[in-house]
Amino acid sequence: MWAYIVKRLLLSIPVIFGVAFMVFAMVRIVPGDPARIIAGEAATQEIVDGIRKDMGLDRPLLRQFATFIGNVLRGDFGRSVRSKAPVAGEVAARLPNTIRLATAGLCVAIVVGVSAGIISAIRPYSWMDTVVMLVALAGLSMPVFWSGLMLILIFAVWLGWLPAVGTGGMAHLVLPAITLGMSTAAIIARMSRSSMLEVLRSDYIRTARAKGLAEAAVVNRHAFRNALIPVITVVGLQMGTLLSGAVLTETVFAWPGIGRLLVEGILARDYPIVQASVLVVAMAFVMVNLMVDVLYAVVDPRIHYD
Amino acid sequence: MRRVLALIAAIALAGALVISAAAAPAVTPTRGGTLIVGSGVDAVTLDAPMITDSPSATVSEHMVESLYRLTPEGKIVPMLALGHTVSPDGRTWTVRLRTGVRFHDGTPFDAEAAKFNLDRMLDPATRAPFRFLISRVTSVTVVDSSTIRLVTDAPFAPLLAHFTHSSVGMQSPTAVRRLGADYARQPVGTGAFKFKEWVRGDRVVMTRNDDFWGEKAFLDEVQFRVIPDDGARVAALEAGTIHVAVRIPPREIERLKGARDFTVSVDDSLRTIYVGFNVTRPPFNDGRLRRALNHAVNKRAIVNSALYGTARVSDAPIVPAVEGYSKIMTYEWDLERAEALLREAGYSRARPLRAVFHHPSGRYIRDAEIAASIQGLVRRAGIELELRTMEWGAYLALTNRPQPENDVQMYMLGWGTVTGDADYGLYALFHSSQWVPTGSNRSFYKNERVDSLLDRGRTTTVQADRNKIYAEAMRVIMDDAPWLFLHSESQVTGIRHVAQGVVVHPAERIELFKAWIRR
């Protein structure tokens, strides 16, 4: 097991390196001169050229990349070209916010999604199943910037129960977490429903029922655990989506996370910010995937890693 | 006759009653409290000479003051300066500074500090984007502890207006030296508010400066919060999370009119929105076509429909609040005139004028919708425009190419004359020395008469004479029509009733110097 984890970690190094190169190349291919954007519409060419020189944009691409990688290996992501603040600090300040939001969103998604899926699966094709699956479909199809605004309107403006936007205590986390978790909950609900249905139809469940076990025990002890395995895959994949998909939620709720940092960086052509935030999200993806694989082994004893 | 007199008296009496009723309940401001402003974007940097955007300047100006200040009414008044004299040749400026003023870190504000700040901005190594505002200054010398002397390479009338710019803010030399690049995150000025914290992407917080040299602020604390989504910003205002919401979408005004807890105010800005033509290339090297487009577009319809009436149709390349403005003319909406001009230039329904129209999306209020309206309006005169919507960064790069490579035919842009002086609004946009990428003349407009008038406007020191010069320059410009003159944007701001004394400055700033919370 440990050998496997180490092997996977080593394998992720070229992946991260590849991501780093792609991001590096991409932000430079996109049209638009970052020096001009920083200097503003009114600045003279002399100043724009100076800024370009400061940013090292006048040097050959490969040399720029070498410098970038060298610095990253030393943990130096450079300074934001616009704010002049160290990028590592900017990312470190934003990352916990996104992790908090993504984790809360995931909790909402798992709790709502798994229970909805199981309720549906126990009474398939009943009115309850139909309602739950309809709601799930609605949750899946609603765009975040709309559902988020609706939640703000209802719970912040009309009822005044929760703060509208921004960060602060736990109360600030409720609406964005529900917004973020909603579409993922829908996916998880559909996944757990079909997985649960499949398990409930299998032979060992019939055996369990045949030996006279109470229905609750059948569902809780025998079916649930096995039905969970494919759900873990989905949850793992969604965790990555939640991290990066927080962009829209963070914008609607004015949540200062890494998603918004990335968007701001792209709009401002702030190369160091874009590179660092994409790298961090990519690393998070890799780590989550690794965790899902490990969790598999824990839940499903048939799986062995050598 | 008696009846008429009685009527006049009655009207006068009623008028007096209305006026006194409006002026009556003067409430005394109370001290204390926190006021929260919801802004669309975060500040970029808080190092004054490096600021290029109005959200950053709004935040910065509460802490860092300039030598002079442009009041919301458009007057230039002394701030950290007490006054100045200009030598008869117009080249030597002696500026007397306010005494006994200290920066928030205790460093005294004196002639040395003022020189430090001006030199820092002038130093090419600083790369101050607005260096050109004072680049005519060749030397700054300290006369005594509260007087500095500046020498310019030629008489330069707009210098005083340029001193009001937030870029020329006075910051603590001690802090700038000590913090280096980190200074941009924790500014130290002389203003009514002191920097407290900046949580990037979330908020900038400042507290009252109790040692302020002038009238102290009423508020204990001021917060500028970042709420990028328009809908969420309005909702936060409705929910009471924030006191002031900037840039409310014009379409929301009607809905928000009935609100009990806040008002939506529509204020003028110094920003003009226009569509520029490249006058050096076909088809728009033909002035008749440029005038034809100006007549083909119903500007009033654009203002009323796309902007819900929250703008003012341009009657000059600059707005009324700018010193040097005068009403020149408006190209009236006249399809017959437009078609006649097109015919004269050899176009007809059978052979329509075709052009590519580049425009940004999301940079100015409803810019993409306005571009689409223009496309629809000119089609009725037989002009076919192809729209190219572009992302801001790519758009700037495209329109900024030098003349030989620049094949953009029509482009939409805005210009805020934030110094409140005509020079800033005309020189950079219409002088032939200012073709991009050197300046901001993206139309490659060149008219010797305009050049010499704009040069004279800079070196003439009597304002009445300058006004005449600029009126003449603008007449020539509007007649040449290097632009399709559109409108000046308004600022739509939501302000809760409990927040009193909030000022919406035409330079796209929210000012809270005299604001207070009603209890």
Side-chain angles (χ1 to χ4, degrees):
Chain A
M1 180 73 124
W2 285 111
Y4 172 77
I5 293 175
V6 170
K7 205 170 89 189
R8 277 289 304 266
L9 277 175
L10 286 177
L11 267 175
S12 56
I13 291 173
V15 172
I16 301 278
F17 195 82
V19 170
F21 183 74
M22 296 240 300
V23 172
F24 178 86
M26 239 181 291
V27 288
R28 280 162 178 82
I29 291 167
V30 173
D33 180 356
R36 170 53 70 177
I37 295 175
I38 293 152
E41 295 143 77
T44 61
Q45 191 60 29
E46 176 197 350
I47 285 175
V48 175
D49 290 342
I51 292 174
R52 192 174 294 127
K53 195 152 170 269
D54 281 356
M55 290 169 71
L57 293 170
D58 54 339
R59 291 176 300 163
L61 261 189
L62 272 179
R63 254 191 70 197
Q64 289 182 45
F65 184 62
T67 318
F68 164 64
I69 288 292
N71 287 340
V72 166
L73 288 179
R74 284 194 300 272
D76 173 15
F77 287 88
R79 276 179 182 268
S80 156
V81 292
R82 290 239 297 175
S83 72
K84 304 281 183 292
V87 172
E90 298 259 309
V91 172
R94 302 282 191 107
L95 192 60
N97 285 334
T98 297
I99 291 176
R100 249 166 67 211
L101 178 58
T103 312
L106 193 68
C107 289
V108 170
I110 292 175
V111 170
V112 175
V114 170
S115 33
I118 287 173
I119 291 168
S120 278
I122 291 172
R123 303 249 180 286
Y125 311 110
S126 67
W127 64 268
M128 201 137 91
D129 179 25
T130 317
V131 169
V132 168
M133 282 305 117
L134 261 177
V135 171
L137 187 69
L140 205 59
S141 4
M142 258 194 293
V144 160
F145 52 84
W146 189 79
S147 56
L149 266 185
M150 282 302 125
L151 288 179
I152 293 179
L153 262 186
I154 296 168
F155 293 102
V157 178
W158 293 346
L159 299 174
W161 291 350
L162 291 162
V165 291
T167 52
M170 286 301 279
H172 285 86
L173 197 57
V174 178
L175 292 181
I178 294 175
T179 309
L180 186 63
M182 210 139 64
S183 57
T184 305
I187 296 173
I188 292 177
R190 297 182 76 85
M191 192 67 211
S192 18
R193 177 180 181 270
S194 57
S195 163
M196 192 72 180
L197 275 178
E198 201 176 307
V199 171
L200 284 174
R201 284 195 208 104
S202 60
D203 291 343
Y204 68 91
I205 295 293
R206 209 170 306 140
T207 313
R209 284 200 177 121
K211 59 180 195 186
L213 217 58
E215 186 63 21
V218 172
V219 172
N220 288 338
R221 249 190 284 154
H222 293 259
F224 185 63
R225 185 170 158 155
N226 287 309
L228 220 55
I229 294 166
V231 175
I232 289 175
T233 322
V234 174
V235 169
L237 290 174
Q238 288 301 315
M239 181 75 195
T241 318
L242 281 177
L243 271 180
S244 50
V247 171
L248 283 176
T249 314
E250 286 178 0
T251 303
V252 173
F253 289 95
W255 189 269
I258 199 126
R260 260 193 45 224
L261 184 68
L262 177 58
V263 173
E264 287 161 20
I266 291 171
L267 288 179
R269 292 287 187 284
D270 200 336
Y271 290 173
I273 292 275
V274 176
Q275 284 160 181
S277 35
V278 172
L279 265 186
V280 166
V281 172
M283 273 197 267
F285 249 93
V286 171
M287 295 309 290
V288 168
N289 275 335
L290 177 67
M291 263 154 54
V292 170
D293 285 350
V294 172
L295 212 63
Y296 250 56
V298 176
V299 182
D300 189 347
R302 287 171 303 182
I303 295 171
H304 290 284
Y305 296 116
D306 301 308
Chain B
M1 188 65 205
R2 278 209 15 216
R3 213 178 287 165
V4 174
L5 278 179
L7 192 67
I8 291 172
I11 292 171
L13 187 67
L17 281 175
V18 169
I19 290 163
S20 62
V27 192
T28 30
T30 44
R31 258 173 163 258
T34 299
L35 197 143
I36 305 171
V37 177
S39 165
V41 288
D42 196 6
V44 175
T45 170
L46 293 178
D47 185 6
M50 307 314 279
I51 292 175
T52 60
D53 60 312
S54 46
S56 298
T58 292
V59 173
S60 169
E61 284 179 2
H62 285 85
M63 301 177 280
V64 174
E65 299 174 297
S66 302
L67 294 177
Y68 288 81
R69 164 180 148 74
L70 181 70
T71 66
E73 296 76 34
K75 289 274 152 294
I76 297 173
V77 296
M79 192 137 80
L80 283 179
L82 281 175
H84 69 282
T85 50
V86 186
S87 66
D89 71 350
R91 290 188 46 216
T92 306
W93 293 57
T94 309
V95 184
R96 277 178 303 113
L97 307 171
R98 204 170 280 282
T99 50
V101 177
R102 278 178 187 278
F103 289 104
H104 301 149
D105 64 355
T107 307
F109 168 75
D110 53 17
E112 287 294 343
K115 177 177 160 55
F116 171 86
N117 278 288
L118 293 171
D119 282 346
R120 179 167 179 250
M121 180 146 181
L122 284 167
D123 183 356
T126 307
R127 309 214 192 292
F130 285 104
R131 176 171 177 262
F132 69 89
L133 290 173
I134 58 167
S135 61
R136 301 225 147 203
V137 173
T138 50
S139 78
V140 184
T141 45
V142 172
V143 180
D144 59 50
S145 69
S146 62
T147 315
I148 50 168
R149 183 163 296 147
L150 292 87
V151 178
T152 55
D153 58 3
F156 190 60
L159 190 60
L160 198 63
H162 289 184
F163 275 150
T164 68
H165 200 279
S166 58
S167 273
V168 202
M170 295 292 130
Q171 311 185 106
S172 161
T174 328
V176 172
R177 283 200 197 99
R178 183 168 56 86
L179 294 166
D182 291 325
Y183 176 83
R185 299 170 56 80
Q186 36 199 320
V188 181
T190 54
F193 290 94
K194 291 191 285 194
F195 177 80
K196 186 180 170 199
E197 66 166 344
W198 182 6
V199 183
R200 304 272 312 166
D202 188 37
R203 69 184 74 186
V204 180
V205 184
M206 44 188 114
T207 52
R208 180 180 47 235
N209 172 16
D210 284 316
D211 303 317
F212 185 52
W213 57 266
E215 260 182 83
K216 289 171 191 53
F218 299 120
L219 296 163
D220 287 342
E221 192 173 288
V222 164
Q223 290 189 11
F224 288 90
R225 290 242 192 112
V226 189
I227 309 173
D229 186 83
D230 288 345
R233 201 160 58 249
V234 173
L237 177 75
E238 293 182 82
T241 313
I242 55 176
H243 296 99
V244 178
V246 303
R247 276 186 88 113
I248 289 187
R251 63 165 187 280
E252 296 268 29
I253 295 175
E254 209 41 51
R255 179 177 76 81
L256 296 176
K257 260 188 186 155
R260 276 187 301 123
D261 304 330
F262 60 89
T263 33
V264 176
S265 79
V266 177
D267 301 270
D268 290 341
S269 82
L270 293 168
R271 188 174 293 278
T272 304
I273 304 293
Y274 63 93
V275 174
F277 301 109
N278 183 340
V279 302
T280 59
R281 281 173 192 259
F284 295 119
N285 52 357
D286 188 334
R288 290 171 296 192
L289 297 182
R290 304 196 296 264
R291 281 187 282 272
L293 265 118
N294 264 298
H295 281 302
V297 171
N298 185 347
K299 290 131 189 168
R300 223 159 297 278
I302 290 178
V303 165
N304 288 336
S305 60
L307 296 165
Y308 299 82
T310 63
R312 179 182 174 281
V313 173
S314 296
D315 49 17
I318 50 177
V319 307
V322 175
E323 188 76 66
Y325 159 90
S326 44
K327 181 177 157 74
I328 307 296
M329 66 169 296
T330 314
Y331 281 93
E332 287 309 323
W333 183 46
D334 187 344
L335 279 180
E336 274 172 39
R337 179 102 191 84
E339 282 182 273
L341 283 162
L342 285 165
R343 259 198 312 278
E344 233 179 87
Y347 292 93
S348 64
R349 294 264 167 199
R351 186 175 170 264
L353 167 64
R354 290 176 201 281
V356 178
F357 177 14
H358 285 86
H359 67 91
S361 175
R363 167 73 181 191
Y364 307 109
I365 302 172
R366 292 177 71 80
D367 43 13
E369 288 85 351
I370 291 168
S373 314
I374 291 173
Q375 183 192 38
L377 286 163
V378 300
R379 186 172 290 142
R380 292 160 67 180
I383 301 167
E384 293 294 331
L385 294 183
E386 185 190 323
L387 294 187
R388 295 256 171 91
T389 313
M390 292 189 75
E391 180 274 332
W392 182 246
Y395 180 73
L396 263 193
L398 193 79
T399 55
N400 246 344
R401 288 174 302 168
Q403 196 274 337
E405 301 150 36
N406 197 317
D407 55 0
V408 173
Q409 298 177 319
M410 281 172 80
Y411 60 93
M412 183 196 284
L413 270 179
W415 184 268
T417 309
V418 289
T419 58
D421 186 275
D423 176 71
Y424 186 79
L426 298 176
Y427 193 85
L429 297 163
F430 297 108
H431 197 280
S432 65
S433 68
Q434 299 298 305
W435 285 13
V436 284
T438 306
S440 295
N441 182 348
R442 288 174 170 80
S443 287
F444 305 106
Y445 179 66
K446 184 188 169 82
N447 182 313
E448 272 157 33
R449 174 125 189 80
V450 171
D451 278 359
S452 80
L453 285 166
L454 293 181
D455 285 333
R456 261 174 58 207
R458 298 200 123 181
T459 48
T460 305
T461 39
V462 179
Q463 189 57 42
D465 297 343
R466 292 185 76 212
N467 291 350
K468 273 188 223 128
I469 293 168
Y470 284 125
E472 201 177 336
M474 290 192 291
R475 251 191 300 279
V476 180
I477 291 167
M478 291 206 77
D479 189 54
D480 277 343
W483 288 2
L484 165 48
F485 301 92
L486 290 177
H487 56 264
S488 44
E489 277 188 350
S490 298
Q491 311 180 67
V492 185
T493 317
I495 304 171
R496 290 189 76 83
H497 294 321
V498 289
Q500 300 279 313
V502 175
V503 174
V504 182
H505 193 285
E508 293 166 21
R509 317 265 197 270
I510 300 291
E511 292 186 346
L512 306 172
F513 306 116
K514 291 277 125 257
W516 53 282
I517 304 271
R518 193 175 63 194
R519 268 175 264 259

